[in-house]
Amino acid sequence: MILTGNQIKKEIAKGNIVIDKFSKNSVQPNSYDFHLGRELIRYSNGVLNDAKNPALEDKVIIKDTGFMLKPEEFYLGITEEMTASKTYTQLLYGDNSIGSLGIWVQISAPMAHVGSKIRWTLEIKCVKPVIIYPGMKFGKICFLVNEGEIVPYGDETFLDSGRYLKNEITSSLINHKVVS
Amino acid sequence: MGSNYYAPFIYGRSSVGRLGLFVQITAPLGDIGFSGKWTLQLTPVRPVRVYPGMKIGQIFFLKPYGEINLYTGKYQNSNGPRKSEIYKDFRKLDK
């Protein structure tokens, strides 16, 4: 089951969902709008093809006058909002207005495990050059009901035991544990 | 396509994915209460020829949990491909 906007508000009141900063204007029929934070990571030298070693990265600050994304680059962005839930699984998508600009948000990994408390790192790619702005509405997050006993993300039961539970933009950590 | 009772998701089908064609590059989740034709964000990995009327994807519906407020957004009742109207959101912010 997917939470309706009204239920998202109720679960926030009960403490089962945290959205910081929350605005009731961002509540949609079955999701919550998130906004684009100011920082971007761009991989330097275009080298991204060695999964076993960390890539070099540049940090870019998106100015109020905007920043042009280029199709040949791949970017990591971050949500303005921190979202958390120990009760529900979260899925993040771009919205229709962003997709219709030719922007992919989350090229591969839309799901946050139950127990996650994160500002989301956004996987961003564009089809044509496009100018984006800090704080713009960028997509939506929905919440799914789990069935079964919940062991939250970050528990040491799991292989990566919450290595992305950081409140900042984070590039791939795949080399540290999974590939060896 | 749409529903006043369930939340819609739209995806390309596997036969289209195997042609290297993205159907919805980022926005598979719709809103309860949306009614209209869906704008598809068609993006091929390599050149590919498409035909009118071909089966291209699937819509499925999730059961909602909680009281429902229906969608009344800017894309309601779309009857053809619609370009991004995100500029309207910026105008709202500027006011």
Side-chain angles (χ1 to χ4, degrees):
Chain A
M1 284 196 294
I2 185 169
L3 268 59
T4 64
N6 289 322
Q7 194 64 32
I8 292 170
K9 285 191 273 190
K10 279 190 185 165
E11 298 298 324
I12 287 172
K14 284 194 250 174
N16 291 332
I17 292 175
V18 179
I19 298 178
D20 184 20
K21 199 171 167 188
F22 174 79
S23 158
K24 65 179 188 326
N25 297 332
S26 293
V27 176
Q28 297 297 343
N30 41 255
S31 60
Y32 184 85
D33 289 334
F34 70 85
H35 299 80
L36 181 67
R38 275 194 182 267
E39 312 100 89
L40 282 180
I41 284 178
R42 186 172 49 185
Y43 289 101
S44 318
N45 307 329
V47 178
L48 252 180
N49 56 4
D50 185 353
K52 212 168 166 178
N53 288 299
L56 297 171
E57 60 190 51
D58 291 329
K59 273 215 173 136
V60 178
I61 299 296
I62 309 171
K63 296 187 179 142
D64 291 338
T65 47
F67 176 81
M68 189 187 286
L69 300 177
K70 295 178 186 161
E72 63 273 20
E73 296 266 13
F74 174 56
Y75 304 88
L76 298 176
I78 191 159
T79 58
E80 272 193 344
E81 294 83 358
M82 182 278 291
T83 68
S85 178
K86 288 186 175 169
T87 313
Y88 300 105
T89 293
Q90 307 177 53
L91 294 176
L92 174 146
Y93 297 106
D95 65 20
N96 182 49
S97 297
I98 291 293
S100 299
L101 289 176
I103 301 173
W104 268 276
V105 182
Q106 242 41 7
I107 62 174
S108 191
M111 189 183 74
H113 300 282
V114 61
S116 295
K117 177 188 181 207
I118 44 167
R119 281 178 76 197
W120 295 66
T121 292
L122 303 170
E123 305 147 14
I124 302 171
K125 175 92 187 132
C126 63
V127 174
K128 291 177 176 263
V130 55
I131 300 172
I132 57 172
Y133 298 87
M136 70 188 282
K137 190 166 92 173
F138 220 57
K140 44 197 184 182
I141 295 171
C142 69
F143 297 87
L144 300 185
V145 178
N146 289 283
E147 184 175 321
E149 190 197 343
I150 292 172
V151 182
Y153 183 61
D155 188 279
E156 59 193 19
T157 316
F158 304 115
L159 176 67
D160 67 6
S161 66
R163 66 197 153 135
Y164 292 112
L165 283 177
K166 294 178 180 173
N167 220 0
E168 60 186 36
I169 189 166
T170 310
S171 55
S172 176
L173 300 177
I174 192 171
N175 49 292
H176 295 338
K177 277 191 183 169
V178 178
V179 183
S180 57
Chain B
M1 300 183 289
S3 170
N4 286 348
Y5 302 95
Y6 298 99
F9 272 84
I10 191 170
Y11 282 102
R13 59 197 283 255
S14 149
S15 297
V16 167
R18 286 165 213 229
L19 292 175
L21 178 59
F22 289 88
V23 171
Q24 207 62 354
I25 64 176
T26 199
L29 174 63
D31 293 303
I32 302 178
F34 170 79
S35 169
K37 293 193 178 180
W38 291 58
T39 295
L40 305 175
Q41 299 142 11
L42 299 169
T43 312
V45 172
R46 288 166 178 274
V48 57
R49 189 182 298 272
V50 295
Y51 298 88
M54 70 188 276
K55 193 158 81 171
I56 199 164
Q58 287 141 351
I59 187 166
F60 65 92
F61 297 89
L62 294 191
K63 215 174 181 176
Y65 171 48
E67 192 196 328
I68 294 170
N69 276 9
L70 297 177
Y71 175 81
T72 53
K74 51 190 176 293
Y75 300 109
Q76 188 67 300
N77 297 320
S78 295
N79 195 28
R82 294 273 296 271
K83 66 183 182 198
S84 177
E85 293 178 17
I86 197 167
Y87 59 89
K88 290 183 178 169
D89 297 331
F90 284 97
R91 283 186 193 157
K92 250 189 267 170
L93 287 177
D94 292 343
K95 270 178 201 165

